[in-house]
Amino acid sequence: MINYENIANTLATDGVIILPDFLPSKLTEQLYQYISNIPADQFSQAGIGRNNNVQINHEIRNDVTLWLNGKSPCERTYLMAMNELRHQLNEKLFLGLFDYESHYSHYKMGSYYQRHVDAFEGRSNRVITTVFYLNHDWSENDGGELVIYKHNSKEVLHRISPTFGTLAIFLSEKFPHEVLTANRDRYSIAGWFRIDRPF
Ligand code: OGA
Ligand code: MN
């Protein structure tokens, strides 16, 4: 059972929560099978920036991504779960989150994403970031951890192994983070709950 009360309270106090085994493992496995079997040519080099200003900068990140489009049943179930989370957060924290956008990420061996924030204060409608991990038997030698830093600081708050079933949730504007170099294929679904505001 998902403890929405705990998620909302922890986000309100800490701004970050890490949840192992967030979804039923059967669904997580279906998502893993689905993404790892999508032909490589359907993925794009990940961009940075927003809207018309997306740039490809291999120095900052070199994973490849693919937006979810709800065409497969497991994807639709995943999006329904995130929609429920969105409703629960709105109900408990009055956030006014109006939608969720998400993409698969594939970090091949040697891929990384340097320290960044997902949203600049007051300049984005991304409010809450989610990253859901799909990798079996991830060990320390595999690298690829998500490192989350304290706001405006070099102090490390969390080092998260991209382990099958783990969901990381954090406030998009507050926490700089990076993906350390992965030493094997690393699959995840990154997503953002957004508010509807002009900027
Ligand atoms: C991102 C991101 C983290 C991860 O896509 O913006 O920071 O662990 N992803 O995949
Ligand atoms: Mn990010």
Side-chain angles (χ1 to χ4, degrees):
M1 280 300 285
I2 299 173
N3 186 342
Y4 295 107
E5 195 72 38
N6 175 48
I7 296 174
N9 290 342
T10 308
L11 279 178
T13 52
D14 303 347
V16 183
I17 184 167
I18 314 302
L19 300 158
D21 304 317
F22 179 67
L23 294 175
S25 59
K26 196 173 157 209
L27 174 60
T28 310
E29 181 62 26
Q30 285 166 343
L31 288 163
Y32 167 70
Q33 292 297 338
Y34 184 72
I35 176 184
S36 59
N37 285 301
I38 296 173
D41 64 6
Q42 293 193 31
F43 286 80
S44 315
Q45 286 297 327
I48 50 173
R50 60 191 173 88
N51 299 342
N52 303 326
N53 211 1
V54 173
Q55 293 166 359
I56 308 284
N57 184 335
H58 302 284
E59 306 247 304
I60 294 186
R61 70 186 297 186
N62 51 11
D63 57 322
V64 291
T65 61
L66 177 65
W67 293 99
L68 271 71
N69 59 17
K71 282 202 177 136
S72 74
C74 62
E75 215 172 82
R76 283 197 293 276
T77 309
Y78 180 78
L79 291 171
M80 271 161 47
M82 299 319 274
N83 204 40
E84 178 62 23
L85 177 58
R86 182 174 73 81
H87 280 292
Q88 294 279 345
L89 292 175
N90 280 342
E91 197 180 285
K92 295 181 168 56
L93 300 173
F94 309 105
L95 289 172
L97 306 170
F98 90 113
D99 79 352
Y100 180 70
E101 57 179 1
S102 55
H103 63 57
Y104 297 112
S105 299
H106 178 194
Y107 290 73
K108 294 173 202 158
M109 189 175 171
S111 295
Y112 55 80
Y113 191 167
Q114 289 178 2
R115 179 181 161 128
H116 64 282
V117 285
D118 287 347
F120 292 102
E121 252 163 275
R123 285 180 46 203
S124 170
N125 47 18
R126 291 179 171 180
V127 175
I128 291 180
T129 300
T130 62
V131 195
F132 186 56
Y133 297 106
L134 303 173
N135 310 289
H136 286 288
D137 305 317
W138 198 269
S139 81
E140 221 169 286
N141 295 337
D142 295 328
E145 289 155 309
L146 172 67
V147 181
I148 299 182
Y149 297 91
K150 204 168 156 180
H151 189 50
N152 285 334
S153 164
K154 289 187 174 157
E155 193 181 317
V156 173
L157 282 180
H158 296 274
R159 289 177 77 96
I160 300 142
S161 168
T163 300
F164 185 85
T166 296
L167 180 71
I169 312 176
F170 56 91
L171 303 185
S172 306
E173 289 180 348
K174 273 268 150 61
F175 298 96
H177 52 282
E178 72 176 308
V179 178
L180 303 182
T181 303
N183 301 322
R184 54 174 264 214
D185 286 308
R186 176 193 192 270
Y187 295 100
S188 57
I189 304 175
W192 297 271
F193 291 114
R194 308 191 306 170
I195 54 169
D196 188 8
R197 74 171 171 208
F199 57 87

